Amino acid sequence: MPLKVTGPLRSFFGWAGNLLYPADCRICESPLHTLTRVPVCDACLASSHPFEAEIFCVQCRTPFVNRSPLDENGCCTLCRLGARGFDAAYCAGEYEGALRKLIHLFKYGGVYSLERELVNRLSDALPRDQRFDLVAPMPMHWLRRLSRGRNHAEILARGLAKRTGIPYQDAAYRRKSTPPQSRVSRAERRRNVRGAFGVKWPETVRGKRILLVDDVLTTGSTAGACAAALKKAGAAHVAVITIARVDRRAWIEPTEKARGRAATA
Ligand SMILES: [Zn+2]
Ligand SMILES: [Zn+2]
């Protein structure tokens, strides 16, 4: 529970508070009135854009602007061809607004106290009717990990494992360091990550239902390649869970997406 600090008490404790966090919310810059572990106001913490669409693939939950990529069962082409890699994808919200900024604060801003908040989001996104045997992080190449100092996916996966009681296992590893994926096309992404992942102890994943944890899902190529390696090693089911997901309809058809939103409002 946050400690309420108002009036003279706020200025009295101000210096101590400033040692712990800045006086303003790091997202909307409004003054913080409570001593909390995170430098973000309650309104920003509560705000999120649910990741939702009228038309989406029943398996990978990729949203589409129209039904043409889906077959009669509601499956997209990649899932139908088995090229997606993972069996399901869950996320807490869309990668924009306050949620996007929260992830940035955690990943690049050094605000590690957001861990609990972000693990809560993952836990809420987990469907209650699904059973999993292992929680595994999206692996980072050891060279990258060395330069970054930590793998954020690993912190989140450990937190989720603790929260849910599902055993944690660092199941996969990254064979090759791939260039940053944000500025390359979908086809290039797929090429970059082909053969990039290996499984540490195949006998420990055989027949298991695995929850693969990452912070953001963009095209799904990287997560798909890792999931494919786990499945090749014998995993029965691999679901990807992320805090946020990029809605690629916004890149392709911004007007159509806006129209869809207006229709559902
Ligand atoms: Zn705020
Ligand atoms: Zn699909």
Tab-separated table of all heavy atoms in Angstrom, residues 25 27-30 40-41 43-44, ligand 1:
chain	number	residue	atom	x	y	z
A	25	CYS	N	5.645	12.293	-12.120
A	25	CYS	CA	5.435	11.025	-12.818
A	25	CYS	C	6.327	11.010	-14.060
A	25	CYS	O	6.351	11.987	-14.817
A	25	CYS	CB	3.959	10.890	-13.198
A	25	CYS	SG	3.632	9.557	-14.342
A	27	ILE	N	5.921	9.522	-16.689
A	27	ILE	CA	5.175	9.367	-17.940
A	27	ILE	C	4.411	10.649	-18.286
A	27	ILE	O	4.614	11.229	-19.334
A	27	ILE	CB	4.246	8.136	-17.875
A	27	ILE	CG1	5.113	6.866	-17.857
A	27	ILE	CG2	3.276	8.111	-19.056
A	27	ILE	CD1	4.348	5.577	-17.780
A	28	CYS	N	3.553	11.128	-17.347
A	28	CYS	CA	2.733	12.303	-17.686
A	28	CYS	C	3.255	13.581	-17.038
A	28	CYS	O	2.718	14.660	-17.274
A	28	CYS	CB	1.281	12.065	-17.283
A	28	CYS	SG	1.058	12.023	-15.501
A	29	GLU	N	4.291	13.454	-16.186
A	29	GLU	CA	4.951	14.583	-15.530
A	29	GLU	C	4.082	15.304	-14.499
A	29	GLU	O	4.430	16.398	-14.070
A	29	GLU	CB	5.497	15.571	-16.572
A	29	GLU	CG	6.522	14.914	-17.468
A	29	GLU	CD	7.142	15.845	-18.488
A	29	GLU	OE1	6.660	16.980	-18.631
A	29	GLU	OE2	8.115	15.436	-19.128
A	30	SER	N	2.953	14.699	-14.088
A	30	SER	CA	2.173	15.325	-13.014
A	30	SER	C	2.850	14.986	-11.680
A	30	SER	O	3.496	13.946	-11.558
A	30	SER	CB	0.731	14.824	-13.049
A	30	SER	OG	0.704	13.452	-12.764
A	40	VAL	N	5.791	6.507	-11.113
A	40	VAL	CA	4.705	6.648	-12.089
A	40	VAL	C	3.401	6.822	-11.310
A	40	VAL	O	3.183	6.135	-10.303
A	40	VAL	CB	4.634	5.391	-13.002
A	40	VAL	CG1	3.494	5.501	-13.981
A	40	VAL	CG2	5.944	5.180	-13.754
A	41	CYS	N	2.546	7.760	-11.759
A	41	CYS	CA	1.303	8.025	-11.024
A	41	CYS	C	0.294	6.887	-11.242
A	41	CYS	O	0.413	6.100	-12.178
A	41	CYS	CB	0.716	9.367	-11.445
A	41	CYS	SG	-0.041	9.361	-13.079
A	43	ALA	N	-2.744	7.027	-12.234
A	43	ALA	CA	-3.516	7.130	-13.479
A	43	ALA	C	-2.745	6.499	-14.635
A	43	ALA	O	-3.316	5.765	-15.453
A	43	ALA	CB	-3.826	8.586	-13.777
A	44	CYS	N	-1.443	6.758	-14.705
A	44	CYS	CA	-0.636	6.174	-15.792
A	44	CYS	C	-0.506	4.665	-15.622
A	44	CYS	O	-0.503	3.924	-16.600
A	44	CYS	CB	0.742	6.829	-15.845
A	44	CYS	SG	0.675	8.486	-16.534
B	1	ZN	ZN	1.389	9.875	-14.793
